[in-house]
Amino acid sequence: MTSIAFYGSSLLSSYWNGAATYYRGLIRDLAGRGWRTTFYEPDTFDRQQHRDIDPPDWAEVRVYPATETAAQAVVAEAARADVVVKASGVGVFDDLLLVGLARAARPDAVRLFWDVDAPATLSEMRAAPDHPLRRVLPDLDLVLTYGGGPPVVAAYEGFGAHRCIPVYNALDPDTHHPVPADPRFAADLAFLGNRLPDREARVRDFFLDAAARLPGRRFLLGGNGWEPQHLPANVRHIGHVPTRDHNAFNGSAKAVLNIARDSMAATGWSPATRVFEAAGAGACLITDAWTGLEMFLAPGEEVLVARDGAEVAAHVAELTPERARAIGEAGRRRVLAEHTYARRGAQVDAILREALAARRARSVA
């Protein structure tokens, strides 16, 4: 089997790690296409104490101590792989991993940077002419991104990337699918997201404002970092929701809200993983407006779109169970037809095989 050494935040835990579902969907599909991935993740941020899955049979997971010595040791193992992936946002020793992996990879191996937060990375690079990624980009074969569309591709190529390709997140229908409603998650509107500096204001504007406008309706907030005493009385906060409960969370409320982070909303073409999770569970999805949405779901038919909290509140007030069910079913049909990890895996498989053939041809010449 062709081997991938993948250095990322975590495959085993989604705790403060929204990329986990994305990694799992892609790596699992690639395993069925003849790729064997070793995923290297540091033991940090309490993720190993909050695992969502056991080590899978479709990937080898190497958990290493969050020390410089351990990071250097796992970098050396990149020399065994046909494809070496450094993902953004590992959280510890990112620069060491980035520079070290570009050097450690074999001459015939494909080197790539996989950016799961391109707007943030590009902002850092613009502010720092000596940013390590700017120095390493000429030595990389590819940049793959979690989203971002044409603006991100143009920005990366402007920084000297040989090739930048968005690989959007998607749905694993074996993992995220309709389940019976669970009373724990009953609400008129549910939102799941950790409290982050570049999302907090938008959560206030879209979710908490809508709750304040509809005091007689029930609102459910899942995720870490929120302080219940600062929430409207009709908002119930339940803390971290593990991946195993996402289907019930998404399928038990009348509607589910998606709120993009500031940078993702400004960039566009950046649907969060939870967009596809919610649609896969048959949820009626309400989302904030962002450029490129129509590429994934049809507004008014497969998703409801709001520009502020007042429009979110209007959707919730007007939504009947029949209308919510129709939108949820339409959204689920769309993602099953066009936005599964089987489709994304086929895309990545083709990209990697082409890059590997080109790299090997150059190393022989």
Side-chain angles (χ1 to χ4, degrees):
M1 298 180 79
T2 315
S3 60
I4 301 173
F6 199 120
Y7 297 78
S9 50
S10 180
L11 191 71
L12 300 178
S13 176
S14 65
Y15 187 71
W16 290 101
N17 179 37
T21 300
Y22 180 68
Y23 294 149
R24 292 168 188 170
L26 284 165
I27 292 171
R28 181 181 177 187
D29 183 81
L30 288 171
R33 300 177 188 275
W35 297 89
R36 180 63 182 175
T37 299
T38 301
F39 194 100
Y40 296 89
E41 59 180 77
D43 185 357
T44 188
F45 305 119
D46 293 326
R47 287 180 181 138
Q48 299 308 313
Q49 290 71 47
H50 294 84
R51 288 186 177 186
D52 300 296
I53 63 171
D54 294 324
D57 58 7
W58 37 264
E60 178 184 353
V61 181
R62 293 283 305 280
V63 180
Y64 60 93
T67 66
E68 183 173 350
T69 299
Q72 290 172 336
V74 295
V75 162
E77 295 186 21
R80 306 173 185 171
D82 300 301
V83 175
V84 177
V85 178
K86 165 62 175 74
S88 66
V90 173
V92 290
F93 304 112
D94 273 281
D95 292 349
L96 182 157
L97 292 170
L98 179 66
V99 175
L101 292 170
R103 295 171 178 167
R106 299 194 314 261
D108 64 337
V110 169
R111 303 159 174 81
L112 68 93
F113 181 70
W114 204 319
D115 199 342
V116 296
D117 192 356
T121 305
L122 290 166
S123 178
E124 292 174 5
M125 288 179 18
R126 293 185 184 104
D130 61 343
H131 193 286
L133 184 55
R134 294 182 70 160
R135 300 197 306 269
V136 170
L137 269 179
D139 298 325
L140 301 179
D141 298 278
L142 289 165
V143 174
L144 302 181
T145 67
Y146 175 94
V152 163
V153 172
Y156 258 116
E157 292 181 350
F159 276 119
H162 295 294
R163 194 178 181 195
C164 176
I165 306 171
V167 178
Y168 298 101
N169 48 60
L171 170 71
D172 178 352
D174 292 335
T175 304
H176 294 101
H177 48 76
V179 299
D182 187 324
R184 293 179 298 161
F185 306 121
D188 292 290
L189 184 68
F191 171 71
L192 179 59
N194 294 327
R195 184 181 182 184
L196 298 172
D198 67 343
R199 181 192 283 148
E200 185 170 0
R202 293 177 67 80
V203 173
R204 183 177 63 246
D205 294 345
F206 282 84
F207 183 72
L208 300 182
D209 178 76
R213 291 172 183 271
L214 299 173
R217 301 298 181 101
R218 298 173 299 167
F219 288 74
L220 181 65
L221 174 62
N224 293 307
W226 303 104
E227 299 174 13
Q229 66 268 29
H230 296 156
L231 302 175
N234 61 333
V235 175
R236 182 164 59 96
H237 176 237
I238 57 174
H240 176 64
V241 179
T243 302
R244 64 178 177 272
D245 287 333
H246 283 192
N247 289 328
F249 183 94
N250 289 321
S252 301
K254 184 184 292 184
V256 173
L257 182 64
N258 172 68
I259 305 172
R261 289 166 35 218
D262 295 342
S263 57
M264 295 292 191
T267 303
W269 289 277
S270 300
T273 302
R274 293 190 180 98
V275 167
F276 300 106
E277 289 184 4
C284 174
L285 183 66
I286 303 174
T287 184
D288 55 339
W290 37 271
T291 303
L293 171 61
E294 298 82 359
M295 177 177 170
F296 305 97
L297 293 167
E301 298 175 13
E302 299 163 344
V303 64
L304 297 174
V305 182
R307 291 170 292 184
D308 53 30
E311 291 193 358
V312 172
H315 283 313
V316 173
E318 297 169 3
L319 196 60
T320 65
E322 294 76 18
R323 172 76 167 143
R325 188 161 47 251
I327 292 171
E329 290 173 353
R332 183 166 186 266
R333 287 194 298 270
R334 175 73 178 275
V335 298
L336 286 173
E338 299 182 16
H339 304 299
T340 63
Y341 280 115
R343 281 181 170 264
R344 304 293 192 255
Q347 177 192 11
V348 174
D349 177 66
I351 290 168
L352 295 184
R353 292 191 186 281
E354 178 185 348
L356 195 55
R359 168 62 74 171
R360 287 173 172 170
R362 289 196 301 273
S363 65
V364 171

